[in-house]
Amino acid sequence: MKRHLLSAADLDRDDALLVLDTAAELAQLTDRAVKKLPTLRGRTVVNLFFEDSTRTRISFEAAAKRLSADVINFSAKGSSVSKGESLKDTALTLEAMGADAVVIRHHASGAPHRLAHSGWIQGSVVNAGDGTHEHPTQSLLDAFTMRRHLAGGKGDLEGRKITIVGDVLHSRVARSNVLLLATLGAEVTLVAPPTLLPVGVETWPCATSYDFDAHLKDADAVMMLRVQRERMNAAFFPSAREYSRRYGLDARRMAQMPDHAIVMHPGPMNRGMEIAAEVADAPRSVIVEQVANGVSVRMAVLYLLLGGATLGDGTEA
Ligand code: NCD
């Protein structure tokens, strides 16, 4: 493993499988009455959130706490960032407090790279979502969830067909998923209107399509993406109704998926827009499970970046 986790591309196949296998071991803790391990006792994890978050932030907090780390939660709102303090000065403050790991979410693509490579801090940097760029731990929890349902919880995802649908242009989740799923051998098709596919997508290790209906019958998983209106500065589609009709997952479309196929969404969902409520709540929807798996996967990431101790199989991090 590298010292930082900035991109899903930082993980080769062995690293990715090590994170997933470690997460699977740690997931067994969740079923115990006492969910805590002493592994990161005395280490400090700072959650540095410059952008709103529900799932990712509480997930990292729960993960660090279950490993007995001290957790400092920092959000830009209500801090000196709103007085104009720079990323550099914020980083120097964290360094002065002895942060061993900094989990950062930032509206600017590349902010975690800046933090990791600036020399401002000594600890590990984990990207928890930077602008429209990457969200590697989301792709790990998605792969973990797919592996459980589609590969018996072991090995990689060789040959599995994953359809990712919607606002790819603004989605850091899509980019990280494409990279990690390619590493794990899955075949990804991105489905979106032409206006919501990024320039250069043809160089990504995946296929693209404008036709959702053509990619339902052979999908092992269909992952819906949120329409990110807060990042839209123009009209990317005629109307919400038109968008749902062509790119929304409703019961009729879900019925065309194979019986074993799962429905995924990173959250937060726009129910009735990219996903119908009855689909979000259907038995084959694993959306709530994705959130639960996020804690185990983030525990694995923090453990492997910071721990260095052994966990069961004697693997040195
Ligand atoms: C995503 C994000 O913030 O990138 N959500 C998440 O982390 N669970 C996706 C989104 O905001 O649509």
Side-chain angles (χ1 to χ4, degrees), residues 48 60 108 162 188-189 301:
L48 187 58
F60 269 109
I162 315 298
V188 179
T189 303
V301 167

Side-chain angles (χ1 to χ4, degrees), residues 232-243:
M232 292 187 184
N233 52 6
F236 287 89
F237 44 83
S239 68
R241 201 154 158 243
E242 170 72 4
Y243 181 88

Side-chain angles (χ1 to χ4, degrees), residues 187-235:
E187 293 168 25
V188 179
T189 303
L190 296 174
V191 178
T195 49
L196 289 177
L197 282 173
V199 173
V201 73
E202 60 285 349
T203 65
W204 296 17
C206 62
T208 57
S209 168
Y210 307 141
D211 182 359
F212 192 6
D213 291 303
H215 297 279
L216 290 164
K217 288 187 188 63
D218 64 350
D220 294 303
V222 174
M223 184 188 298
M224 303 307 299
L225 301 172
R226 183 172 65 90
V227 176
Q228 302 197 26
R229 288 187 183 272
E230 79 279 16
R231 296 192 210 273
M232 292 187 184
N233 52 6

Side-chain angles (χ1 to χ4, degrees), residues 83-274:
K83 298 180 186 167
E85 186 159 67
S86 66
L87 181 60
K88 178 175 179 176
D89 288 323
T90 306
L92 294 176
T93 304
L94 301 180
E95 182 62 11
M97 291 183 181
D100 296 295
V102 178
V103 176
I104 175 172
R105 168 167 287 198
H106 202 285
H107 42 82
S109 301
H113 290 73
R114 185 87 179 102
L115 198 60
H117 300 304
S118 59
W120 300 329
I121 57 165
Q122 299 298 315
S124 293
V125 176
V126 181
N127 181 0
D130 62 329
T132 58
H133 182 227
E134 282 222 44
H135 193 355
T137 59
Q138 178 71 40
S139 65
L140 283 163
L141 77 87
D142 290 334
F144 183 90
T145 308
M146 289 176 205
R147 191 164 88 141
R148 279 213 155 163
H149 287 270
L150 308 175
K154 300 197 295 284
D156 58 19
L157 293 165
E158 192 65 41
R160 301 302 186 288
K161 292 190 169 52
I162 315 298
T163 303
I164 302 180
V165 189
D167 185 359
V168 178
L169 180 66
H170 300 105
S171 180
R172 50 202 180 200
V173 175
R175 186 189 302 260
S176 289
N177 260 285
V178 166
L179 293 171
L180 183 67
L181 289 169
T183 302
L184 293 173
E187 293 168 25
V188 179
T189 303
L190 296 174
V191 178
T195 49
L196 289 177
L197 282 173
V199 173
V201 73
E202 60 285 349
T203 65
W204 296 17
C206 62
T208 57
S209 168
Y210 307 141
D211 182 359
F212 192 6
D213 291 303
H215 297 279
L216 290 164
K217 288 187 188 63
D218 64 350
D220 294 303
V222 174
M223 184 188 298
M224 303 307 299
L225 301 172
R226 183 172 65 90
V227 176
Q228 302 197 26
R229 288 187 183 272
E230 79 279 16
R231 296 192 210 273
M232 292 187 184
N233 52 6
F236 287 89
F237 44 83
S239 68
R241 201 154 158 243
E242 170 72 4
Y243 181 88
S244 303
R245 206 174 58 76
R246 295 204 49 184
Y247 295 101
L249 184 57
D250 56 13
R252 181 187 65 80
R253 286 202 168 105
M254 185 171 69
Q256 294 178 49
M257 293 164 52
D259 289 342
H260 71 272
I262 54 172
V263 171
M264 307 179 74
H265 193 303
M269 290 184 269
N270 295 308
R271 284 174 182 250
M273 177 88 175
E274 71 268 359

